[in-house]
Amino acid sequence: MTASGHNQTKIRVGIDFGTTNSVVVIADENGNTHPARFVFTDHTTSETCRTLLCLWMDQDGRRRVMKDAIGLDAIEAYLDDPAESRLIMSMKTYLAQGSFRETRVFSSVMTLEALIARFLTSLMDKAGLNPGDVSATIGRPVRFAGELADDSLGVARLRESFLEAGFPEPNIVLEPEGAGWRFMQRLDRPATVLVGDFGGGTSDFSVMRFDPQGSPRVTTLGHSGVGIAGDQFDYRIISHAVAPALGRDATYRVMGGQPLPVPAEWFASLGRWHRLSLMRTPQTLRDIADVAKTSSEPEKLRSLLRLIEDQEGQNLYRAVGQAKSDLSRQDSTVLRFIHRDLKIEETITRADFESWIAPDLAQLDDAIEDAMVQAGLGPDDIDRVFLTGGTSFVPAVRDLFDRRFGAERVDGGSEFVSVAEGLALIERERHQA
């Protein structure tokens, strides 16, 4: 079969490789889309897969080989034997960080691209697809996460990761453009649309002109992004409602000297869920135990120690995520988390939460303004606003758009799969005659 003939047989897919979750959507010849469903070992099925990779060594006859699991299976595999496995989280966060090149996994040195490729290979396997048999459009953030992010490096490493996983010539586009293509299916006339795409690590905004009957059908007028999204909001809850119960405000003494503050880096890591498991090293655990001996609040620091030792991070973040979700629907909630002697029952009002995230909301508002300035348009020039991603449910976030554009113009839908659906439609469009 010729190369062109083979290309015509390929399955058109869109892939949203996310900081927190990943989604694969297939587009058929008629322009219909359906998300792949991932089946996990506990028999649960989902249209999203947590972007987690667990690696461990196992015997295969006389050889020791590296095995892996992803998503919910990765969590279970890690909890079964945390001492003899590696849980890799938030891989996307490091794509644009030049300081992260490789890491040692057991006796092997693995690049970030190799780790992501391993995740992608298993992701496609769970979706019942072979990377070599698909033609894929992949999303990328407008701005990659991290204070010193190198966006060009991020794109290059993202492409290399997919190539290493066996995807032939992946097409990479901005994630909000994918969301916009999904939204365009609702339009019956030309419209200028602002798309807000909120992920786990980044929030992206694009102003686009859609013409369902035109050529091109989509023109990007301006875009911007910021490394703030759902994970940052979780961090604010942990910082205000959880960290004090674990000794953040305690002091300790060295050889009877003046009181010193407990190391702040422990609580910075506590608030970033992909860093928490990295604290489970003998040195860090010894340091916490030593500080607890002379601490003003020793039992709180011992609770922190047990939280890390017992790998309770997932349960903690689940409780925080539930509280955040509750506050999108009601005026107050109670954050509940219990582990051994630690018992947190903290009432959080929506007003509290909104005051905690106020600096983040200001940055989101600035990014929206940047996209509008790039496009050279004012609020009255925007016909519709389309929001996607879990953070778009937060009332204070939605209010940023309602105030600027009017609630009647703000819309949403398919918040967790819409980016991948749009990417699949872009992929199909690329191969239309």
Side-chain angles (χ1 to χ4, degrees):
M1 181 178 289
T2 64
S4 60
H6 179 68
N7 190 53
Q8 291 173 359
T9 68
K10 287 187 179 294
I11 302 166
R12 315 299 184 201
V13 302
I15 301 176
D16 182 10
F17 170 63
T19 302
T20 307
N21 294 293
S22 292
V23 181
V24 177
V25 169
I26 301 164
D28 65 22
E29 294 179 356
N30 299 318
N32 300 312
T33 61
H34 63 274
R37 295 196 67 84
F38 306 105
V39 181
F40 300 98
T41 54
D42 65 356
H43 304 298
T44 61
T45 64
S46 176
E47 294 177 350
T48 64
C49 177
R50 292 287 295 274
T51 309
L52 299 170
L53 173 68
C54 183
L55 300 168
W56 70 92
M57 298 301 294
D58 205 353
Q59 287 295 130
D60 184 5
R62 294 184 176 181
R63 296 184 310 132
R64 292 195 74 204
V65 297
M66 191 181 297
K67 298 287 186 69
D68 66 62
I70 65 169
L72 296 177
D73 293 345
I75 297 173
E76 291 303 315
Y78 184 63
L79 294 177
D80 280 346
D81 194 0
E84 297 298 325
S85 59
R86 283 285 304 274
L87 186 64
I88 313 296
M89 301 176 283
S90 295
M91 292 171 275
K92 185 177 180 180
T93 300
Y94 300 105
L95 275 170
Q97 305 298 313
S99 58
F100 190 117
R101 293 290 179 180
E102 58 190 26
T103 187
R104 181 168 290 279
V105 181
F106 309 114
S107 59
S108 302
V109 174
M110 298 184 69
T111 64
L112 178 62
E113 293 91 328
L115 291 169
I116 293 174
R118 190 144 186 155
F119 170 82
L120 293 171
T121 301
S122 292
L123 182 76
M124 295 297 283
D125 183 61
K126 276 197 176 296
L129 298 169
N130 185 323
D133 295 335
V134 305
S135 181
T137 288
I138 296 133
R140 55 149 290 195
V142 175
R143 298 283 182 270
F144 281 82
E147 292 181 7
L148 301 176
D150 180 340
D151 290 329
S152 60
L153 175 65
V155 173
R157 293 168 84 175
L158 181 64
R159 182 183 303 280
E160 183 57 37
S161 299
F162 274 83
L163 289 172
E164 193 164 333
F167 290 83
E169 302 178 10
N171 177 45
I172 298 177
V173 303
L174 295 172
E175 288 163 355
E177 291 189 11
W181 269 80
R182 167 66 172 73
F183 178 65
M184 185 177 71
Q185 308 312 305
R186 306 181 190 180
L187 300 177
D188 57 6
R189 60 177 63 88
T192 301
V193 179
L194 172 70
V195 177
D197 174 29
F198 299 92
T202 60
S203 297
D204 296 324
F205 308 99
S206 286
V207 181
M208 289 176 276
R209 182 67 180 172
F210 292 101
D211 186 348
Q213 309 303 322
S215 179
R217 291 204 281 169
V218 181
T219 304
T220 300
L221 306 178
H223 52 70
S224 67
V226 62
I228 288 176
D231 289 354
Q232 175 72 0
F233 290 0
D234 291 347
Y235 167 71
R236 298 297 187 187
I237 293 175
I238 290 173
S239 178
H240 287 85
V242 176
L246 295 171
R248 183 196 60 196
D249 302 324
T251 60
Y252 74 107
R253 297 175 186 270
V254 178
M255 300 183 68
Q258 292 296 313
L260 300 172
V262 169
E265 61 267 22
W266 296 343
F267 299 94
S269 294
L270 176 69
R272 305 296 185 188
W273 75 279
H274 59 283
R275 295 185 196 169
L276 185 58
S277 66
L278 303 180
M279 294 178 69
R280 195 173 181 269
T281 65
Q283 183 61 55
T284 299
L285 296 175
R286 279 196 303 270
D287 288 347
I288 296 173
D290 287 345
V291 167
K293 292 175 184 176
T294 62
S295 171
S296 59
E297 297 182 302
E299 194 49 48
K300 289 184 177 181
L301 285 169
R302 292 189 186 106
S303 291
L304 172 64
L305 185 66
R306 289 189 288 264
L307 179 78
I308 298 168
E309 284 180 327
D310 296 345
Q311 298 295 308
E312 282 294 302
Q314 290 296 329
N315 290 328
L316 172 62
Y317 295 117
R318 193 174 295 118
V320 169
Q322 183 61 54
K324 183 176 68 173
S325 178
D326 290 346
L327 291 170
S328 292
R329 301 186 302 271
Q330 55 202 50
D331 291 334
S332 69
T333 189
V334 177
L335 170 63
R336 289 186 174 88
F337 178 74
I338 299 174
H339 176 60
R340 297 210 215 178
D341 295 334
L342 174 66
K343 183 177 182 180
I344 297 174
E345 288 193 348
E346 187 77 16
T347 298
I348 305 172
T349 67
R350 184 182 290 177
D352 291 333
F353 177 57
E354 291 181 353
S355 71
W356 298 342
I357 65 173
D360 310 316
L361 294 172
Q363 289 195 56
L364 291 175
D365 204 36
D366 288 345
I368 297 167
E369 179 66 19
D370 286 347
M372 296 291 292
V373 169
Q374 273 197 35
L377 301 177
D380 292 342
D381 299 315
I382 301 297
D383 299 308
R384 302 288 293 277
V385 176
F386 180 61
L387 307 179
T388 187
T391 301
S392 66
F393 289 115
V394 174
V397 171
R398 180 70 174 244
D399 190 53
L400 293 177
F401 298 90
D402 289 352
R403 284 188 288 104
R404 190 183 285 259
F405 302 103
E408 70 282 357
R409 283 187 274 171
V410 181
D411 199 359
S414 300
E415 275 76 9
F416 298 103
V417 299
S418 59
V419 171
E421 286 178 338
L423 296 173
L425 292 171
I426 291 172
E427 181 58 34
R428 177 181 177 273
E429 180 83 2
R430 285 207 309 143
H431 295 280
Q432 292 291 93

